[in-house]
Amino acid sequence: MTENAQQEPPAPITELPTQYAPADVEGPLYERWVERGYFEADAGSEKPPYTVVIPPPNVTGSLHLGHAFEHTLIDALTRRKRMQGFETLWQPGMDHAGIATQNVVERELGKEGKSRHDLGREAFVERVWQWKGESGGQISGQMRRLGDGVAWSRERFTMDEGLSTAVQTIFKRLYDDELIYRAERIINWCPRCLTAISDIEVDYQEDDGELVSMKYGEGDDTIVVATTRAETMLGDTAVAVHPDDERYKHLVGKHIRLPLTDRSIPVVADEHVDPEFGTGAVKVTPAHDPNDFEIGRRHDLPAIAVMDEHAVITAHGPFQGLDRLEARSAIVAALRAEGRIVAEKRPYVHSVGHCSRCKTTIEPRLSLQWWVKVAPLAKAAGDAVRDGRVKIHPQEMEKRYFDWVDNLHDWCISRQLWWGHRIPVWYGPNGEIVCVGPDDEPPTGEGWHQDTDVLDTWFSSGLWPFSTLGWPEQTESLAKFYPNSVLVTGYDILFFWVARMMMFGLYAMDGTPPFHTIALHGMVRDQFGKKMSKSFGNAVNPLDWMDKYGSDALRFTLARGANPGVDVPIGEDWVQGSRNFANKIWNATRFALMNGATVQGPLPDASAMSSTDRWILSRLNSVVAEVDAYYDDFQFAKLSDALFHFAWDEVFDWYVELSKTTFQAGGEPAEVSKRVLGEVLDVTLRLLHPVVPFVTETLWTTLTGGESVVVADWPSDSGFRDADAEREIGTLQSVITEVRRFRADQGLQPGQRVPARLTLDGSALAAHEPAVRQLLRLQPEGESFTATATLPVAGVEVALDLSGVIDVAAERKRLAKDLAAAEKEKAQATAKLGNEAFLAKAPDHVVEKIRTRLAKADEDIARITTQLDRLPGA
């Protein structure tokens, strides 16, 4: 803790407002936590470290439900570890988001009628920095709204000076180790963003296109090929067939005429071709298709580029200057006019790659780019998981990880942008190439110039776990907080980000992986399990729900749905339910304070406690152990559910209610129960705090007078268990639950009092008779008491006098009518299910619906019959 955090604790609040108002509490509480330095991390501390990095959100971004979900989980982990005595660092920061940010600023310029080229590179980059200062990073304020306990003084940006040094350092090292190289390869090109993008930045979707089969060559030397991109035929430099395909052996080695051009191209034999697919012959366009590029390399074919960076045709002839889609139609029409079209299929649904940023259809394109040779780096990343240095949770996600890292292609890292880390390579007038490290002076003189490209955003974010700690300097923070304890992230960026951090971390940090555990979570979906999207109309702004229900309500809902590696459905009514839970905690604590619950002094000896007191303390310790086990297994849904049911059901609905008669009676038993209730609330609030920090902070400091629950000790299992008390209270709960059910069945109002005789003599429940009578609204039996209904439950007997309380005749008539309706429903369903002709024709879902109706009818008959049997005079 910082020096600032050692100030005197605030004076305890003696009472709580009647209602919890999150909007009045959350903002001031968060600022108080930050001012006191609770979230800061001291690299010189002797406490054991616990480190988590925030997956850096884009500087262009704002808080969405996915962020809120992920941040809630990380915040819960770090808050618990802080309470457990760890020196906890949750590292914040943002990503410069090269393409996305450049697009935003270019759109702003467009409104002024300008382009980046009007400003020039240097002025444009200054404009981006200006935008970042004025408009970027609004997500930081939204993170505060959510309650993120991050170390704000350590906030980093991937274009900061220190992180830029890290980028330049690792580029230089990789280059010197011949793991970075420059080469012409087929890349994914976005004609809108005008840059190369990596494989993982391409979104594939099923599009309606066309499949055109066309005839190359003349006479006996004709061959039919098919394509969905007819415009690329202008760049064909061969036709390929399988070496064993007898149909084309006479053509292999020959040259045939390429239509619409004055060129002839060879027919080559290549094992890549599938003789069973289509005609068994494929057109080869090395400059515009990755598979064709490899065929071209094997057969020494020329690569002819026929499109520019805007996807406009550059090949000489009538199609020059046409957009690729315009050219596609024009070329098919020209081939049709020559009688070259053999078949056309429209629509032809096929998978098409789109730029993940702007959704433009990408264009495979031969281009001179910078690449990372990933084979040795990827092997190290795979080995770290295989040998157990890094655990993936849930374990079944390991296969997806291995499928990726074991099959990685070299990574294209250059981007044709102006915003980003510029590639630190200089070219000389005589073909010289010099890679410059952060301590090197770049070459100067006539003819020398720096590479104009910048690095892929994922290159710098791949360094995040150690660059944020000061690497390449051997800082105190790096020594203390690397490697990270756990990485919490979505399975959807396992390939984007996680694999790159693994490769770079192992390389830069001498084989030490960047984290011990990778905890993967799913994506947030709507309540029907559908992906959230503005186009679907189901996207939700989490700030709206926080404004309406409070941040704790949103956080608890998200955590309660978080099963490892599984998508999370969420609906507004669930958030409303979590708001009700926060209110329940508030009201129960308020009741406890009004009745003298206290945390002062040690707990009384168990011998001085009632069985109710011993039961709740036994259950409390079991829940502490259960919650700890769930946290260690990243089972956020289970730990949240366990806390919800313990707090609401056992503490508030049972212990508090059972203790009311004790409080009313006063004396030593009441004083003991007040101390027990204070203990239970103290521990329960600390257990709940990591998930619902705001309401628990207010209640805990009020209850205990402590400085802050943020820096309170995490509860530990004392080992206290009392199986006898748990059995006794379990029996008591069964009695009360059964009598309540009977009262409801008889149509009695919850507050309606009924004369009753309780036969508890010799039972462990005898001491609970006052509580039983109060909870069940049972008044003492009078002289005229008549037992009109008797309920034997769990070895005790409850006799009720319902005469004068309900109209037995009317109730019997109502139930008889309901019974007749249920029996009629059963007869109809049974008749249909016994009709073979009906079963043979009816759809499965119809038959299943009738079976459900029959089961429901059976349940209704059993229930109503029991109610009739229990009526007075039955």
Side-chain angles (χ1 to χ4, degrees), residues 14 24 41 86 136 312 470 537 739:
T14 55
D24 297 339
F86 286 78
V312 171
V739 176

Side-chain angles (χ1 to χ4, degrees), residues 815 819 823 859-871:
L815 290 173
L819 180 61
E823 289 173 337
E859 290 175 7
D860 289 344
I861 290 169
R863 175 179 54 80
I864 296 167
T865 301
T866 300
Q867 290 176 246
L868 283 167
D869 290 344
R870 287 177 169 177
L871 280 174

Side-chain angles (χ1 to χ4, degrees), residues 320-332:
Q320 188 175 10
L322 294 180
D323 172 79
R324 57 182 165 170
L325 297 181
E326 296 172 332
R328 183 175 300 172
S329 298
I331 287 170
V332 170

Side-chain angles (χ1 to χ4, degrees), residues 508-746:
M509 299 300 293
D510 299 320
T512 302
F515 18 75
H516 297 301
T517 302
I518 302 168
L520 297 171
H521 59 72
M523 295 187 294
V524 179
R525 296 181 178 271
D526 71 13
Q527 60 191 8
F528 306 108
K530 190 174 182 179
K531 182 179 178 180
M532 286 193 172
S533 166
K534 290 181 180 178
S535 59
F536 294 156
N538 63 350
V540 173
N541 184 345
L543 296 172
D544 293 340
W545 281 352
M546 286 192 281
D547 288 342
K548 196 170 182 180
Y549 303 111
S551 298
D552 284 334
L554 177 64
R555 289 171 60 115
F556 192 73
T557 304
L558 291 166
R560 203 174 177 193
N563 290 296
V566 178
D567 289 347
V568 183
I570 185 172
E572 184 170 0
D573 54 337
W574 304 343
V575 185
Q576 186 175 355
S578 295
R579 187 273 312 273
N580 296 342
F581 179 51
N583 289 342
K584 185 80 170 181
I585 302 169
W586 182 273
N587 292 333
T589 306
R590 187 169 178 270
F591 166 85
L593 289 168
M594 290 170 61
N595 283 274
T598 179
V599 297
Q600 302 304 315
L603 275 173
D605 189 79
S607 61
M609 296 180 189
S610 67
S611 58
T612 309
D613 294 333
R614 296 195 307 275
W615 160 73
I616 198 62
L617 288 174
S618 181
R619 287 292 305 127
L620 177 67
N621 279 287
S622 294
V623 169
V624 169
E626 190 178 359
V627 167
D628 274 333
Y630 285 145
Y631 261 116
D632 292 342
D633 198 33
F634 306 102
Q635 297 281 358
F636 296 98
K638 290 182 178 179
L639 72 89
S640 299
D641 216 44
L643 286 170
F644 174 86
H645 287 295
F646 175 71
W648 192 307
D649 299 343
E650 298 186 83
V651 179
F652 306 149
D653 280 359
W654 283 109
Y655 181 71
V656 168
E657 292 300 319
L658 289 170
S659 298
K660 283 181 178 178
T661 53
T662 305
F663 293 153
Q664 290 167 1
E668 185 60 26
E671 296 306 310
V672 170
S673 290
K674 289 175 185 178
R675 179 64 188 89
V676 170
L677 178 55
E679 180 75 11
V680 170
L681 285 174
D682 169 19
V683 173
T684 301
L685 290 170
R686 282 185 280 150
L687 288 173
L688 282 165
H689 172 73
V691 181
V692 284
F694 294 107
V695 68
T696 51
E697 170 80 342
T698 305
L699 296 176
W700 188 86
T701 52
T702 303
L703 173 71
T704 68
E707 177 187 345
S708 172
V709 70
V710 176
V711 291
D713 290 336
W714 179 252
S716 59
D717 176 9
S718 70
F720 176 80
R721 301 289 191 279
D722 193 322
D724 290 338
E726 290 198 35
R727 277 192 296 272
E728 181 180 320
I729 302 304
T731 302
L732 178 64
Q733 290 171 327
S734 297
V735 171
I736 293 173
T737 300
E738 185 60 28
V739 176
R740 280 176 171 168
R741 185 181 295 117
F742 175 76
R743 288 177 55 107
D745 287 345
Q746 303 308 315

Side-chain angles (χ1 to χ4, degrees), residues 85-108:
F86 286 78
E87 193 62 40
T88 303
L89 169 60
W90 183 9
Q91 173 66 52
M94 286 183 293
D95 191 285
H96 66 280
I99 297 176
T101 306
Q102 180 156 319
N103 283 347
V104 167
V105 178
E106 285 196 79
R107 281 196 296 270
E108 292 295 316

